[in-house]
Structure formats: C-alpha cells, structure tokens
Amino acid sequence: MSYTELTVWTRGIIMDKEGRDIVNSISASARTEGKYAQAMENYVDNPDRTNAPTRKYCRVSDSVLENELTYENEHPNIVVLVEGTMVKGWDYMRGMPPGGTLVINTHYSPEYMIRFVPGPERLAQLVCVDAAKLADHKWLYYRLGELGLDRLSTEGAAERSRKIAPDIAAPLIAAVVKTTNIVKMATITPMIANKHAFDMALEELKIMQLNPVAV
Amino acid sequence: MPTVLEKKKTVRINGCVASAQAAKYADVDVIAAYPIRPYTATMMALAQMVANGELDAEYIVADSEHSQLSIAHGAASSGARVFTGSSGVGVQFAYELYSPISGSRMPVQMMIADRTLDPPGDFGSEHTDALSTRDMGWLMGWACDAQEAFDNHLMAYRIGEDPRVLLPQMVCQDGFFVSHITGDVELPDPTQVKEFLPPYKHPYPLDPRHPVSHGPQIMPEQGPPLQLERARAMEGSMAVIEEVHKEFGEIFGRKYDPWVEEFMTDDAEVVFFLQGAHAVTARFAIQHMREKGLKVGMARLRTIRPYPTDRVCEVLSKFKVVGVIETNMALGSPASGGALYADACAALYEAKERPLVISFMAGMGGEAIVLKEFYWMAEKMMQALKRGKIEKRTHWVGFEE
C-alpha cells in the first residue's frame, strides 16, 4: 500500500499559482489513475502574505484518505521549493522520512545547494531545475508589481490565467514526476499548459543521488 | 422529472465554492459581502461570477457585518432573494440584525463557515459563532462536506421562502474541514433547480405601488401575538423541511434525512452524537472499531433549529451510551462544556429508556479530531457502559488519561 505526501513551499500571492498548480495537477492526475488524492493549501498561510513563505499540500494514496481533514503534511516524502532562495532560513525538511526527494527551482547545481539543506542525510535525491529559465520566466524579477495586482489573494481571487502551469510550475512538475513517479507521465502531460518548458525540463534535470539514513 | 439533464456535471470544488455555486444556481438577486476568513472565498467566487456575467445580481460590499445584514434585511424586504454570509466574530458583529430579520419574516440566507471566536480567534472551526445565534428564529443546520453544503443551500431557500415558513436560514459548514477541503460536487442541470426552487415571491414586499408597513413600533399588548406567530412559523417549518428533503431526493437523487444521519447504529450500544465535518473522520474510526468488534455508531444532527426533539429522543434512546462531541463552547452551561449536551438531554427527558450521556470537548480551536481521539472517546463510553454510570459529564479530550 503506498501513501505519498508532497509539500510545496512557495511565496505568498506572487508565486501562489505556481505552487497551487503543482499540487492540483498532480492530485488530479492521481485521481484519473484511480488513486485517492487530495490537494490543498496550508490553511493558516492563506491570508494574504505577499512574498512570505506559503505551503501547498498533496496526498496520494492507494486507499481512501482517512486523514483528509488534517491541516498539514506531517511527513512529506517530496518537498518542492518554487523559489531558490527559500533553501535557507527554515526547516522545510521537517518530518521527512528517509528516502525523500527535494526539488529546487535554481540555476545552481545540487552539489552547491546541498550545503544549505537542513537534514540532507534523509534525502535519496536532490533535484535542481532551472525552471525560471526553462519557462522563459522574465516577469519574476521585473514585473513583481504587476503580478501582485493580478493575483490579489493567496486563494486565487483574481487570477487572469485559467491555464494550469503556464509558467515555472511546468518544469517543476516535470522534475517531480520524472524523479518520483508519483503519477504517470501520460496522465499529467495533457494538463500542462507550458509543454515546451515541461519537455525541456525532462532533459535538463540536475539530479544528485544520495544514500538516505534515518535521523 | 426533467428528461434532459445534459448540463449536469461533477466538479472538484471546496465548500466555499460549492456555496457560491449554490447561490448562482439559486439565481440570487442581491449579495451582501464583507470579508472575513474562511467564508471569504465564497464571496470571491461570487464576485468573479458577477464580473464574468455568469450571474446577474447586485453585489454590494458592506462596511461591516452589521451593515451586511442590514443590507440583506432591506433587500429581502423589497422582495429580493438575498445571499450573505460570515464567519466567527463577523457573525457576532451582526447580532443585532438576527431577531429583526426573522421577526419581519424575511427569508434571508446566510452562509456560515465556522471560525473560532476570540479567543483563540484562529481560523479553525468551532460552531460557537453560529450556535450563539441559534435561538434568534433562523433555520439552522450543518453540512459535513461540499456536496451537502451545496444541497443544503438550495433546500434552505426552498424551505425558508415557503409561504408557510418565511424564515431566514443559516446554512453552516465547518471552516477548513468543509470550506477548504475539495470534494466531488455534482452541479445540477438548471432545469432541475428551476423545478425545485421557484422564483422567490414575498407576499408583502415594500413597494410604493402597494404600500405596507414593515417593523412598525408596537405596544406591549401586541407583542404576544407577534412572538407567537414567529414561534409557530418555526414549529410549522418542520413539516415543510421533511417535504422539501423528500422532493429534493426525488429531483436530484441525493436523499438526506432532514434531522439525523445514522451510521452503523443498527446494533450499536455506544454512539457519537455530533454535527458537521468531524463525521467524516468519525465514520472511518467507527469502521476500524467495528472490525475489532466494538458496537459503535454515529448519529449526526443535520438540523439544529428547529430542534428535532422527538426524532433525537427516538434515535438516541435506542442506545446505552451517547457521547456528544461538542465542537463549541457553552461556558457555565449544564454540562459546563458545550451547547449540544443540554439540547440532547432535554430531548431525551421524556424517553422511557434513557442512555447515559457524556459531553466531549473535542476539536476546540478548530483542531482536527483524529482517529485515536475517537478511539479514546469510545473507550470512555465503553467504561461508562460497563460501570453503569458516567465518570463525569464533560471530558476535555486530549487533557485526560
């Protein structure tokens, strides 16, 4: 019986859609595969915190989710950092059982990034993907103001784009699915709006294999 | 029955969006909004529907919950179908309006996504916010998932707007556990809704062409008949509630017991008595305990106002021990715990065989009630069954051995 928790760390409002797209698309894929799956946002993160760290959760299981009403993923097997600088400053690895996967959106290599990861000995793999570049993500640094206006709330009140993963979420989803097989490539691919960035990412992942130990 | 149901579809939405969808399907005329978490997402969704032209309604943003309910009252008085809502302290701030709205018999509908009051004031669900208004003449009940929330909204409009009833409705759901948990929700074909919920027509709306007085100053001797009439409307709603639930089942295919959902109660000796979303986890806990041979079940209260006294008496008196899971605070109340205990005990007073009743304070501050806490409560009930009497009236779950 398999049960997997995926936790995505992102930045409030300006990058909330990216985080939301990752958990929603993976959860929807799992359900089309006949599994039980749930996607949600961290409830206490939901108030509008621009740029502050916010969490999105996904749970995928072969059996019915009896913990559907619990607030947080307590033992994430997979953690995604939607923005590279989030690698420092807090314990996003908390609760991860040995054998986990960490995916970071960064142009740095895993060899460079691993020094910032708290408790890296639990990891089976550290995956770096330059999602911003692959998605030609110019607005991240130059259009923050406009982005803030477009996305008035962490709950997605005023999103103009109804597409799933039009931006940097696409390469990150590719990284998660390719390295963890949480869902099948065939079920997730049709959902992704930015197919170019998704396909490019499959070729350009930087994966560091590790030997996880219990902490 | 409509023959073409081509527009029926199943979508994956949370409780907040389900409520917004219900308001859209009910084709509401006026929406009175003021933000407070967690119900805010409902108003966000409705704002988008109005902006996109999916829903033709007046969307009014008030400057407070007090204004929100005042707008709702005024709009309903002019004959509009009104949708409003709130959470937590927002429900309290509008308190002055609850009695006038039911007193003038305006079937305003208010969506509640529960949130704790201050303290602790966190975003989690305690039912105290809505329950504190339970005697103000509003029809009131809790859903346990997004689909039920959607359905309850449609049924509540139909019940409240029935000329035999004409009472406002609070359609409640737990914050987070329903409001922010996604589920598969079947959105009906509009023809089904049209068949079930006719356009709202108040018998005496404010209209300059047909002048009427609403809420005039009265003398004390005019008070008793006025209050009696409101009390009778509440009592009389019970037959309408049953009728509407039956018809809803026939049209939409989802059959709800209007009063109490029983789960694995056939041979049960001890049962949980609760309302709202914790029923979802309770069902799993009961299934696991059943595998171990424990005769455990659940009775979930779906409507708390009007209180189904006879039905609760009939259901609960079948068991040996009843554990009331409160999810609300009623400080200094009969059990010195929550508010549900007193109502349940009052209903049981006339029963020939009375079960032992225990009040469990669980899920306070909106904490999730996890499986092992249900097991702990069942154990306490089993001990009481063995002993033939309760250890004490109220247990605080998580604070005792």
Side-chain angles (χ1 to χ4, degrees):
Chain A
M1 195 177 75
S2 118
Y3 172 74
T4 308
E5 291 187 350
L6 160 69
T7 299
V8 176
W9 289 78
T10 187
R11 294 217 176 262
I13 297 187
I14 58 160
M15 300 176 89
D16 259 308
K17 178 170 168 54
E18 282 66 33
R20 199 159 35 236
D21 283 355
I22 295 170
V23 293
N24 281 343
S25 61
I26 290 177
S27 166
S29 292
R31 280 196 305 279
T32 60
E33 291 170 19
K35 292 179 180 170
Y36 295 89
Q38 169 189 24
M40 62 176 182
E41 309 189 38
N42 184 294
Y43 189 51
V44 296
D45 287 346
N46 262 343
D48 305 333
R49 294 172 179 159
T50 307
N51 233 341
T54 59
R55 284 155 289 179
K56 319 287 168 192
Y57 300 123
C58 177
R59 295 166 183 154
V60 177
S61 176
D62 290 341
S63 56
V64 63
L65 290 163
E66 297 188 354
N67 59 342
E68 191 184 47
L69 303 190
T70 52
Y71 288 96
E72 299 189 3
N73 277 353
E74 285 167 12
H75 303 290
N77 307 92
I78 307 162
V79 171
V80 179
L81 304 180
V82 176
E83 199 267 304
T85 65
M86 300 181 86
V87 76
K88 293 192 238 178
W90 57 81
D91 191 2
Y92 45 84
M93 295 283 285
R94 186 174 56 203
M96 181 188 277
T101 298
L102 175 63
V103 176
I104 310 174
N105 167 20
T106 177
H107 63 274
Y108 287 109
S109 66
E111 289 74 20
Y112 177 79
M113 293 302 270
I114 196 163
R115 75 188 70 180
F116 306 113
V117 178
E121 59 277 359
R122 278 167 285 186
L123 287 173
Q125 50 189 350
L126 172 57
V127 183
C128 290
V129 55
D130 196 353
K133 185 181 156 211
L134 292 171
D136 195 17
H137 193 61
K138 294 192 184 73
W139 50 255
L140 179 58
Y141 303 106
Y142 305 114
R143 291 172 53 203
L144 279 183
E146 189 182 325
L147 205 58
L149 283 176
D150 189 14
R151 300 172 180 192
L152 291 174
S153 156
T154 42
E155 295 189 59
E159 268 171 14
R160 284 179 206 146
S161 175
R162 290 251 163 177
K163 291 176 185 163
I164 295 170
D167 279 312
I168 57 173
L172 288 166
I173 294 166
V176 170
V177 174
K178 187 175 179 186
T179 59
T180 66
N181 296 316
I182 185 170
V183 290
K184 295 191 182 93
M185 226 21 116
T187 53
I188 192 112
T189 313
M191 297 184 190
I192 308 298
N194 194 338
K195 294 205 190 315
H196 178 69
F198 186 88
D199 292 339
M200 294 266 285
L202 294 176
E203 305 301 318
E204 296 194 20
L205 298 180
K206 288 178 252 177
I207 306 169
M208 182 191 226
Q209 299 291 346
L210 297 146
N211 293 314
V213 291
V215 234
Chain B
M1 283 288 288
T3 46
V4 187
L5 297 177
E6 59 192 15
K7 286 181 180 163
K8 194 162 106 172
K9 58 184 174 190
T10 300
V11 293
R12 186 108 184 142
I13 52 178
N14 65 25
C16 275
V17 178
S19 293
Q21 283 288 354
K24 185 180 110 180
Y25 275 83
D27 194 18
V28 297
D29 303 309
V30 174
I31 299 160
Y34 185 76
I36 183 169
R37 293 199 74 224
Y39 110 104
T40 312
T42 299
M43 289 303 177
M44 294 191 325
L46 280 167
Q48 272 182 336
M49 290 169 186
V50 173
N52 293 346
E54 293 168 46
L55 170 62
D56 181 16
E58 285 294 324
Y59 186 97
I60 306 171
V61 182
D63 65 2
S64 70
E65 287 85 0
H66 192 279
S67 308
Q68 208 185 343
L69 269 285
S70 302
I71 290 163
H73 193 185
S77 301
S78 72
R81 180 174 282 162
V82 184
F83 183 83
T84 188
S86 199
S87 291
V89 291
V91 182
Q92 308 290 297
F93 192 54
Y95 210 112
E96 186 185 358
L97 279 306
Y98 296 129
S99 184
I101 290 173
S102 72
S104 58
R105 309 288 295 282
M106 290 302 158
V108 166
Q109 186 168 115
M110 183 169 186
M111 178 267 197
I112 307 279
D114 298 294
R115 172 176 173 173
T116 59
L117 300 177
D118 291 330
D122 63 80
F123 305 123
S125 172
E126 269 178 32
H127 297 174
T128 321
D129 51 1
L131 275 183
S132 67
T133 72
R134 68 189 179 279
D135 298 326
M136 291 294 110
W138 289 54
L139 308 172
M140 182 182 289
W142 263 262
C144 77
D145 58 32
Q147 178 75 67
E148 193 183 359
F150 179 92
D151 296 344
N152 282 357
H153 282 290
L154 291 187
M155 285 191 278
Y157 269 126
R158 171 71 191 276
I159 296 160
E161 291 173 0
D162 190 296
R164 294 167 289 175
V165 180
L166 288 176
L167 283 174
Q169 320 102 44
M170 275 196 198
V171 182
C172 310
Q173 57 178 267
D174 285 87
F176 179 72
F177 304 127
V178 176
S179 76
H180 282 63
I181 296 287
T182 48
D184 290 330
V185 175
E186 186 186 289
L187 299 177
D189 189 296
T191 56
Q192 290 175 292
V193 182
K194 216 170 169 184
E195 186 190 353
F196 176 73
L197 185 65
Y200 168 52
K201 198 164 170 34
H202 195 275
Y204 308 107
L206 293 175
D207 180 348
R209 290 163 299 183
H210 307 283
V212 289
S213 291
H214 284 189
Q217 181 65 54
I218 59 162
M219 300 305 285
E221 65 270 21
Q222 293 168 293
L226 192 68
Q227 302 296 49
L228 178 65
E229 202 184 312
R230 183 158 47 148
R232 289 224 168 116
M234 185 55 98
E235 278 171 42
S237 72
M238 298 191 84
V240 179
I241 289 170
E242 290 188 349
E243 202 180 292
V244 168
H245 277 74
K246 191 164 170 284
E247 196 179 320
F248 184 90
E250 282 161 9
I251 294 175
F252 297 92
R254 286 182 296 280
K255 293 184 171 64
Y256 297 98
D257 187 305
W259 315 112
V260 179
E261 175 211 336
E262 291 187 61
F263 180 79
M264 290 195 158
T265 53
D266 282 349
D267 61 340
E269 293 181 323
V270 307
V271 295
F272 298 113
F273 184 57
L274 49 75
Q275 55 177 11
H278 293 297
V280 173
T281 316
R283 289 190 201 115
F284 292 126
I286 288 164
Q287 281 165 333
H288 290 307
M289 287 188 277
R290 283 272 170 180
E291 284 160 19
K292 289 176 186 157
L294 294 177
K295 291 182 176 173
V296 192
M298 176 183 75
R300 176 172 68 96
L301 191 62
R302 289 191 70 255
T303 305
I304 190 166
R305 287 294 180 273
Y307 197 81
T309 311
D310 295 332
R311 183 64 197 283
V312 169
C313 180
E314 178 203 320
V315 171
L316 296 188
S317 59
K318 292 187 296 191
F319 313 117
K320 305 264 171 52
V321 186
V322 172
V324 182
I325 302 179
E326 297 284 0
T327 337
N328 73 83
M329 288 278 276
L331 295 161
S333 63
S336 198
L340 300 187
Y341 171 90
D343 280 0
C345 287
L348 281 166
Y349 184 75
E350 285 161 18
K352 284 195 187 82
E353 302 270 339
R354 281 198 291 264
L356 299 173
V357 185
I358 308 172
S359 173
F360 289 110
M361 296 300 278
M364 308 315 294
E367 201 179 26
I369 306 178
V370 294
L371 292 174
K372 65 177 184 196
E373 288 177 329
F374 283 102
Y375 302 153
W376 186 89
M377 290 186 271
E379 177 62 27
K380 284 285 168 200
M381 293 198 281
M382 286 299 186
Q383 286 167 8
L385 175 64
K386 218 169 179 181
R387 203 188 297 119
K389 65 177 202 174
I390 61 169
E391 182 186 331
K392 53 180 168 181
R393 288 195 194 98
T394 296
H395 290 282
W396 278 76
V397 178
F399 292 87
E400 300 172 27
E401 289 293 311

